[in-house]
Amino acid sequence: MPDFLNKFGPKKTPGWLTYATYLEYTAHAPAWRRASNFMSDYYSDDRHWTTWQKAIAKWPAWVWDALAKASAGDEPCEWAAIDGTTLSRTNASQHYLKRIDQEEQVKRPIQEVVMVDVARRKFLSWRFRATPRGEKCDVPYLVSHNPAFTEGVLMDKGFDSNPLHAFLRKKGMYSIAPVRKGCKRGNFRKQLRDCFDWALYWQRNIVESMFSAVKRLFGSHIRACTARMQRAEVYCRLIAYNIGANIHDFLLSLRQVYA
């Protein structure tokens, strides 16, 4: 990645410093003013909080994809799990809703579909959508953006699709997903109907635990309003979780060396 991500203007603030500000905003100080004060105290970079906010909003998608792949790593993955969840948006107060003649709060959740490593407890790839839609259509995107070689994929009943199983088999991956009641079509669906490994499928619950951990650490709602900032907020939360997992693995390896 280049040192400076701004094409025009003076090259004063490197990209890693801008991302460090947003990482501080995501992990420890969910307010731009406190994140700006952190950069002023620890890095002696006095800038207004709107300057940091506008800088991160201009980052293109390929920068976030590069950061995601770097945080996930390229270690081989034996089994991965795919699932989706939604995040609520920050709604207005009851006083403001009364002023604009709105009886109910606006319900437009943010959708994210992720692929996680079951053994290492890391997010391998994910996709963000401002408008929710079917989760099955995002599986090819997750597989193509996965930096690690994966042998098998665990999915829930919502991914019961014979063309989806055929796609994963062509990619050299095994797929396990329970079939719906009354399954009569599809060769791969019939195989799963007649011979299903429930002991292996139960490991899919790890992705639900990781969803819960991210929401407990960084919140269950999105503060941003625009699609670009919503993407940045979702990506930074999952990348921050991977960074914490990398630090935990590094400390665990040091304990094993000096034990």
Side-chain angles (χ1 to χ4, degrees):
M1 293 175 58
D3 295 334
F4 300 93
L5 294 173
N6 57 318
K7 185 176 181 182
F8 302 100
K11 306 296 188 296
K12 295 182 178 180
T13 305
W16 71 267
L17 195 61
T18 304
Y19 182 69
T21 308
Y22 198 65
L23 193 63
E24 172 65 21
Y25 163 79
T26 302
H28 302 104
W32 280 107
R33 290 177 176 85
R34 278 184 283 178
S36 178
N37 295 334
F38 172 82
M39 301 305 294
S40 177
D41 295 338
Y42 288 89
Y43 291 95
S44 301
D45 197 337
D46 297 328
R47 296 178 183 272
H48 197 261
W49 64 271
T50 56
T51 304
W52 299 110
Q53 187 181 35
K54 293 177 181 178
I56 205 72
K58 297 178 181 179
W59 280 18
W62 67 267
V63 176
W64 293 109
D65 292 338
L67 291 173
K69 291 182 179 179
S71 65
D74 56 355
E75 298 180 11
C77 170
E78 185 177 2
W79 286 99
I82 297 179
D83 201 359
T85 186
T86 56
L87 300 171
S88 61
R89 301 190 185 188
T90 303
N91 287 301
S93 63
Q94 294 293 334
H95 171 73
Y96 182 77
L97 292 175
K98 184 177 180 181
R99 293 291 301 272
I100 63 176
D101 297 330
Q102 185 77 19
E103 296 181 357
E104 299 180 357
Q105 294 183 348
V106 181
K107 297 181 180 179
R108 290 179 296 177
I110 305 300
Q111 183 188 45
E112 57 178 358
V113 184
V114 303
M115 174 186 286
V116 303
D117 190 341
V118 172
R120 294 187 298 154
R121 307 301 203 269
K122 287 185 179 180
F123 291 95
L124 298 177
S125 59
W126 54 84
R127 192 170 197 181
F128 151 79
R129 289 188 182 274
T131 303
R133 59 175 302 183
E135 299 175 353
K136 292 186 294 185
C137 60
D138 293 330
V139 174
Y141 178 88
L142 299 177
V143 173
S144 61
H145 285 73
N146 180 18
F149 174 76
T150 305
E151 296 182 7
V153 179
L154 307 175
M155 301 173 290
D156 59 7
K157 192 177 292 185
F159 296 87
D160 179 25
S161 173
N162 200 74
L164 180 59
H165 292 301
F167 167 78
L168 294 174
R169 296 298 175 87
K170 289 182 180 179
K171 293 292 183 178
M173 303 180 185
Y174 293 100
S175 57
I176 295 179
V179 297
R180 295 182 178 89
K181 186 177 180 180
C183 172
K184 296 181 180 180
R185 296 181 180 180
N187 55 339
F188 298 111
R189 298 180 68 227
K190 291 180 181 179
Q191 293 177 3
L192 294 172
R193 179 196 62 186
D194 300 334
C195 183
F196 194 83
D197 192 348
W198 288 101
L200 185 60
Y201 172 74
W202 287 335
Q203 299 185 28
R204 192 202 62 84
N205 294 332
I206 294 176
V207 66
E208 303 288 351
S209 301
M210 295 176 66
F211 281 146
S212 177
V214 171
K215 291 182 179 180
R216 284 185 282 107
L217 287 172
F218 310 117
S220 59
H221 66 278
I222 296 295
R223 305 179 183 90
C225 297
T226 62
R228 293 177 68 99
M229 286 303 296
Q230 288 173 0
R231 178 185 62 190
E233 192 168 351
V234 171
Y235 271 60
C236 196
R237 290 183 182 185
L238 302 182
I239 293 173
Y241 184 88
N242 285 346
I243 292 176
N246 292 330
I247 295 175
H248 178 268
D249 295 342
F250 175 73
L251 296 178
L252 186 62
S253 63
L254 288 181
R255 292 178 183 177
Q256 294 177 354
V257 171
Y258 293 100

